[in-house]
Amino acid sequence: MVEFKFIEYGTDFGTRDMGMKLREKLLPLIKENDKVVLDFTGVNVVSNSFADECIAKLLLDMPLSELKQHTTFRGLNPMAERSVLVALQRRYKVLKTS
């Protein structure tokens, strides 16, 4: 099991640009490891756009079942958790209907 600690990159994540940079780091980790812990401990803000770009866009590279199998979340505060869930739901819905 590998941990990806978001706190190493900041405490507030609001931009798509940062989301893309971190997704590019996450994707190989997820593909090369059985389980990656997405650790948000110490992170204050996760915007919807960041969550979409960093987390939800992983669904462009793998099905939801594979993403769920290879990742788990830790340390999300309630607002950040909501941003991630909303982003995943929206992205999944778009992909499902296209």
Side-chain angles (χ1 to χ4, degrees):
M1 188 177 325
V2 173
E3 290 186 355
F4 187 89
K5 294 181 179 279
F6 283 84
I7 193 73
E8 293 177 5
Y9 302 95
T11 58
D12 300 310
F13 297 100
T15 66
R16 285 195 174 272
D17 185 51
M18 179 60 91
M20 182 183 68
K21 288 176 184 171
L22 294 187
R23 179 171 34 88
E24 289 172 352
K25 293 177 182 294
L26 271 174
L27 190 57
L29 281 178
I30 293 168
K31 294 216 179 252
E32 296 166 6
N33 294 279
D34 287 336
K35 191 67 105 177
V36 177
V37 176
L38 305 178
D39 189 355
F40 284 86
T41 302
V43 171
N44 298 318
V45 176
V46 175
S47 73
N48 289 339
S49 56
F50 173 85
D52 179 57
E53 195 69 41
C54 183
I55 307 297
K57 278 194 173 179
L58 291 168
L59 295 175
L60 298 174
D61 292 291
M62 67 189 72
L64 181 60
S65 59
E66 185 178 337
L67 182 61
K68 287 168 74 172
Q69 179 183 350
H70 292 288
T71 60
T72 189
F73 290 89
R74 180 186 301 149
L76 280 167
N77 67 43
M79 292 297 289
E81 181 177 5
R82 177 156 168 66
S83 292
V84 170
L85 285 173
V86 167
L88 282 167
Q89 288 170 339
R90 288 178 180 165
R91 181 65 56 179
Y92 181 73
K93 187 176 180 181
V94 167
L95 291 171
K96 194 173 153 187
T97 58
S98 60

